Each structure stands twice: as C-alpha cells, then as structure tokens.
Amino acid sequence: MLIDNLSLIFSGITTLAALYLSYVALKHSARPSIKIHMTCDQPIYCNEETNFLFELENVGHWYAKPMVVNLIIYFNFDNQFTLNFLKFGSTQELLNKNVKTGVGNMKYLKASGIKLSYGEQREKALVNVIPPSTPGKYKIKLSSYSENGVSYRRDIAIIVRAK
C-alpha cells in the first residue's frame, strides 16, 4: 500500500514536471504572430487621391507573446494604381517613394525595420495612391516576414467607383 501511494505521488510529480518543461519549451520556441488591419473610411473613386491606412498588430499566442523583430512588409497594388508614397514608423516619420514592380506585375512599396511588441499600440503605415481611371474590383496583396519567424500574407479586394 505504501509503495503504491509513493508510486502514485512520484508519477504525479513526474507528469507535472514534464508538463512544465513542455510549456517552457513551447513558450521559448514560439514564433511571433501578427495581423494587419486596413482602414479606408470613404469610398474609393477613380483618379481621386486616396490614403490607405494599415495598422500592424502583434497578436501573440495564448502561451507566448514574442516581440516581432525587423518586420518587412510589401504593400502590393494592382498595376493600374499610381503609388505616390508610403509613410510608416511610430510617428509616420519614415517615408518611402521608391515604387517598384514585383511579382504578378503589381506595383509595391516596402516598409522595413519595424518592431512590434505585444500589448502596445498598433503601428501604422499609410499608403497614398491614385486609383485607376476605370471602375472595378482591384487587388491589394500584403506580404511580410521578420527575422524571428513572422510569415504573413493577405489579399484584399477593393472596389473603385466612378465619380
């Protein structure tokens, strides 16, 4: 009887220790997780200068909240858009006007060097564009990655209306 009780206690302690070690390993090997929210409050009209506001958020996991280090984001727009500039940074102090053509013949602007901590206010990126002259449904693709394992991709469909 005593040996059975000691065996049961030892098994319980061993199980708790294994659970704790598994949790610690999971927590310290976690990759960050982000979400990018797009806001454009007004309708988008042909050839009318528009700002798209993207909010970057570190959403973490229930078991870990690792920081995002050196996040790079590509803001890809259909080729018919005219991209003017991208502002990003804590106070929108960083400016990128270097528009390039990338995969799928889409025009893009790139933001890099972004750091996101869990629980802090969302970082903002503003893309200033002139929509196409033809009304219709167009695509925005967001692609991002970071030094410590973020991998994020999102397609957004937007409608451009005639004025």
Side-chain angles (χ1 to χ4, degrees):
M1 181 83 167
L2 179 62
I3 292 177
D4 290 339
N5 287 340
L6 288 175
S7 176
L8 182 63
I9 291 170
F10 180 73
S11 293
I13 291 171
T14 304
T15 301
L16 289 175
L19 284 172
Y20 177 74
L21 289 174
S22 298
Y23 170 74
V24 168
L26 181 65
K27 182 176 180 171
H28 291 290
S29 65
R31 294 187 312 175
S33 179
I34 67 166
K35 283 194 178 172
I36 301 176
H37 311 274
M38 186 188 86
T39 342
C40 186
D41 299 335
Q42 73 275 6
I44 302 158
Y45 294 109
C46 294
N47 289 326
E48 189 175 285
E49 189 173 326
T50 306
N51 289 322
F52 289 99
L53 182 65
F54 298 92
E55 294 183 345
L56 321 171
E57 179 182 21
N58 180 346
V59 293
H61 306 280
W62 66 268
Y63 53 87
K65 316 288 191 266
M67 183 173 185
V68 177
V69 179
N70 194 22
L71 182 67
I72 296 170
I73 306 171
Y74 294 92
F75 298 93
N76 299 281
F77 286 77
D78 267 328
N79 198 28
Q80 294 86 352
F81 280 83
T82 302
L83 276 59
N84 295 325
F85 60 84
L86 162 68
K87 283 183 166 183
F88 64 101
S90 299
T91 59
Q92 309 269 297
E93 75 278 8
L94 302 171
L95 179 69
N96 181 359
K97 292 183 175 184
N98 189 13
V99 178
K100 295 183 180 179
T101 302
V103 176
N105 203 29
M106 296 182 85
K107 293 179 183 175
Y108 73 88
L109 287 163
K110 175 180 155 184
S112 59
I114 299 170
K115 294 173 179 63
L116 297 173
S117 294
Y118 178 81
E120 288 191 6
Q121 191 173 10
R122 294 175 178 174
E123 193 82 21
K124 292 178 174 55
L126 182 132
V127 181
N128 181 272
V129 303
I130 298 174
S133 56
T134 309
K137 195 174 193 178
Y138 294 93
K139 202 183 302 183
I140 299 173
K141 288 185 178 185
L142 306 175
S143 298
S144 65
Y145 62 91
S146 74
E147 281 182 10
N148 58 337
V150 166
S151 179
Y152 181 88
R153 187 172 182 281
R154 180 176 175 204
D155 293 346
I156 302 169
I158 60 166
I159 296 173
V160 176
R161 297 182 169 106
K163 185 91 178 176

